């Protein structure tokens, strides 16, 4: 039932992005009843062609309350967000897990080269302790693709992780250490290391553990403890099938099939291509759910399309992958 070849999503470029957005919008407006009801409430001309930033965005909170799907199918996977006790979590019903895999593999390799070049270590205790984490799924697949005998997950066995990193450093092996924020802070406090061949990539996630740091404070702390020039970061969420990456200084870059806009806090219908406000995302990999998402994250968008995450909107639910505030 797709109106496009799925490969068109992952080969999209700047010149074809607008057309593809309109095709996906019409497809989701027709076959996604939740999204259609929302669009009908706020858009008087849904059949007209639109520039991407004028396509209505579904509030991310709908993923907590509704089954946000385009079409009629049985899901292959359900991803569920983290949250504190008693908080209603988001659920993302995934029709085709291969689309998620293609998205995160291509997205990562655009920035970092073939996964096979890396030894992938995942320090994700809070996520491993629950089921249905999209981040754990991604890390597990990357570990398998790397093919490195030392790739793997770590919970709270920090001493073992420190020894492994030291061994790999001596071998000159490029290492990707993908870690949740609180675990990276705990690990680095106990085992400060001098890392030359390791990329530290934080995924966010303090989950109320200790004083919450701003992202600059966090990165300065980790840079000092690991003797690195930069701390890398991944920006993703349960409701998306794509990720943006930062190689330093907290500025994220999206793959071509994902784009970020900024909407004013006092006027959700006014979107900016530069400036500060609430982050709005187009993720074309969300072809079977909803590609147009209004988040509750506050960000700053730059003219080149890169963006920073500055915090959370007041009264927004706490989320495991986005607790850093400024």
């Amino acid at each position: 039932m797709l109106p496009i070849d799925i490969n068109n999503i992952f080969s999209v470029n700047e010149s074809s992005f607008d057309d593809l957005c309109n095709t996906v919008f019409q497809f989701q407006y027709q076959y996604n009843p939740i999204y259609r009801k929302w669009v009908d409430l706020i858009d008087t001309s849904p059949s007209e062609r639109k520039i991407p930033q004028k396509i209505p965005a579904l509030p991310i909170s709908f993923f907590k309350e509704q089954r946000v799907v385009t079409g009629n199918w049985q899901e292959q996977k359900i991803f569920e967000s983290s949250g504190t006790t008693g908080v209603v979590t988001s659920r993302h019903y995934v029709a085709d897990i291969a689309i998620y895999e293609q998205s995160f593999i291509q997205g990562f390799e655009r920035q970092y080269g073939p996964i096979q070049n890396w030894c992938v270590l995942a320090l994700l205790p809070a996520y491993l302790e629950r089921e249905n984490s999209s981040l754990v799924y991604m890390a597990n697949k990357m570990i398998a693709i790397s093919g490195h005998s030392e790739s793997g997950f770590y919970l709270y066995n920090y001493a073992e992780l420190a020894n492994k990193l030291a061994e790999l450093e001596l071998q000159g092996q490029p290492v990707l250490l993908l870690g949740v924020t609180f675990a990276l802070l705990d690990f680095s406090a106990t085992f400060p290391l001098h890392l030359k061949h390791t990329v530290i990539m934080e995924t966010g996630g303090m989950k109320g553990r200790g004083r919450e740091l701003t992202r600059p404070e966090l990165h300065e702390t980790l840079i000092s403890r690991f003797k690195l020039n930069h701390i890398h970061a991944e920006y993703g969420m349960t409701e998306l099938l794509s990720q943006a990456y930062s190689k330093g200084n907290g500025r994220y870059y999206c793959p071509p099939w994902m784009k970020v806009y900024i909407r004013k806090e006092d006027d959700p219908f006014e979107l900016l291509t530069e400036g500060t406000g609430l982050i709005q995302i187009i993720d074309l990999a969300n072809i079977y759910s909803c590609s147009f998402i209004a988040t509750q994250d506050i960000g700053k968008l730059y003219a080149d399309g890169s963006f920073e995450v500055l915090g959370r909107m007041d009264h927004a639910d706490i989320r495991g992958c986005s607790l850093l505030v400024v």
Side-chain angles (χ1 to χ4, degrees), residues 188-208:
S188 63
T190 308
F191 296 98
L193 300 167
H194 189 180
L195 301 176
K196 296 180 179 180
H197 305 287
T198 299
V199 165
I200 304 289
M201 181 177 289
E202 57 95 359
T203 67
M206 282 297 291
K207 297 184 70 63

Side-chain angles (χ1 to χ4, degrees), residues 94-163:
V94 180
D96 186 353
I97 197 65
I99 295 175
Y100 179 48
E101 293 177 358
Q102 186 171 357
S103 179
F104 70 67
I105 291 169
Q106 279 191 224
F108 177 87
E109 292 189 340
R110 285 180 62 87
Q111 296 283 348
Y112 295 96
I115 296 173
Q116 291 90 337
N117 294 345
W118 296 87
C119 175
V120 180
L121 306 180
L123 182 61
L124 305 171
Y127 294 88
L128 283 170
E129 292 166 350
R130 63 181 178 82
E131 297 180 355
N132 300 324
S133 163
S134 58
L135 179 59
V136 168
Y137 187 96
M138 180 179 77
N140 190 52
K141 187 69 175 181
M142 290 175 67
I143 286 168
I145 293 172
S146 78
H148 196 285
S149 60
E150 303 298 339
S151 290
F153 284 97
Y154 289 81
L155 278 165
Y156 299 100
N157 43 339
Y158 295 158
E160 183 182 345
L161 175 58
N163 290 335

Side-chain angles (χ1 to χ4, degrees), residues 35 50 62 69 82 90 160 175 183 239 246 254 263 268 310:
Y35 184 51
K50 307 176 189 297
F62 276 70
V69 299
S82 59
S90 292
E160 183 182 345
V175 174
E239 300 86 354
S246 167
C254 297
R263 71 187 189 277
L310 303 179

Side-chain angles (χ1 to χ4, degrees), residues 32-107:
N32 185 324
I34 300 299
Y35 184 51
R36 185 185 185 100
K37 288 179 182 178
W38 176 253
V39 172
D40 285 344
L41 287 172
I42 62 174
D43 189 348
T44 59
S45 55
S47 62
E48 290 184 3
R49 177 180 170 81
K50 307 176 189 297
I51 59 174
Q53 58 264 44
K54 293 296 185 181
I55 294 175
L58 187 72
I60 201 166
S61 59
F62 276 70
F63 283 83
K64 296 177 182 291
E65 304 156 358
Q66 306 289 338
R67 190 174 187 269
V68 181
V69 299
T70 300
N72 183 18
W73 36 262
Q74 180 63 42
E75 62 273 4
Q76 291 185 358
K77 188 75 176 175
I78 301 175
F79 290 132
E80 190 169 356
S81 66
S82 59
T84 55
T85 302
V87 172
V88 178
T89 56
S90 292
R91 292 167 71 86
H92 191 166
Y93 298 85
V94 180
D96 186 353
I97 197 65
I99 295 175
Y100 179 48
E101 293 177 358
Q102 186 171 357
S103 179
F104 70 67
I105 291 169
Q106 279 191 224

